[in-house]
Amino acid sequence: ICLVFFTEWCPHCTNYSGVFHDPKVVEQTKHFVMIRLDKDKNEPLSRQYAPDGQYIPRTFFLSSAGVLEADVHAPRDQSRYFYDEKDPTSLLAGMDAALTKAKTK
């Protein structure tokens, strides 16, 4: 599962949505259940999936049981689930890591 929290008013979220139009990302999304939730309209879930804060956009990879794969994240020390909003490279790496982890379970 790939879970993305966003808001309609966030310019970073708007930029990040463009990453999902990249042909490589489109191809990878075929291997995931993709869920996009407005943080403002889904506050309880946003709080549930906020291991390092409720910043936006946040992208999580979850097991099929809905458990956060905490070690699959962007290559950052802070705001670890904030992937590059303009370059799909880091998101693709996260997707690859999530798929690899799913295959080993």
Side-chain angles (χ1 to χ4, degrees):
I1 299 168
C2 178
L3 172 61
V4 179
F5 283 98
F6 76 103
T7 64
E8 294 179 13
W9 51 263
C10 168
H12 298 287
C13 298
T14 301
N15 291 339
Y16 187 50
S17 67
V19 170
F20 289 88
H21 295 280
D22 179 273
K24 291 178 183 174
V25 174
V26 169
E27 187 60 33
Q28 282 291 67
T29 62
K30 295 175 184 177
H31 302 285
F32 292 89
V33 172
M34 300 296 296
I35 302 171
R36 186 171 177 256
L37 294 175
D38 186 319
K39 173 191 165 304
D40 293 338
K41 295 175 183 172
N42 296 277
E43 194 62 36
L45 276 174
S46 180
R47 281 193 305 273
Q48 180 181 344
Y49 292 101
D52 62 347
Q54 290 196 64
Y55 53 86
I56 48 172
R58 305 193 302 283
T59 302
F60 300 107
F61 293 98
L62 313 174
S63 72
S64 59
V67 176
L68 174 64
E69 300 290 1
D71 58 337
V72 179
H73 56 78
R76 334 166 43 92
D77 292 331
Q78 294 182 342
S79 303
R80 294 172 18 155
Y81 303 97
F82 184 97
Y83 288 85
D84 191 304
E85 65 188 82
K86 295 183 180 173
D87 181 356
T89 305
S90 67
L91 177 61
L92 286 166
M95 291 175 132
D96 288 342
L99 289 171
T100 298
K101 189 165 188 164
K103 289 177 186 174
T104 62
K105 286 190 174 186

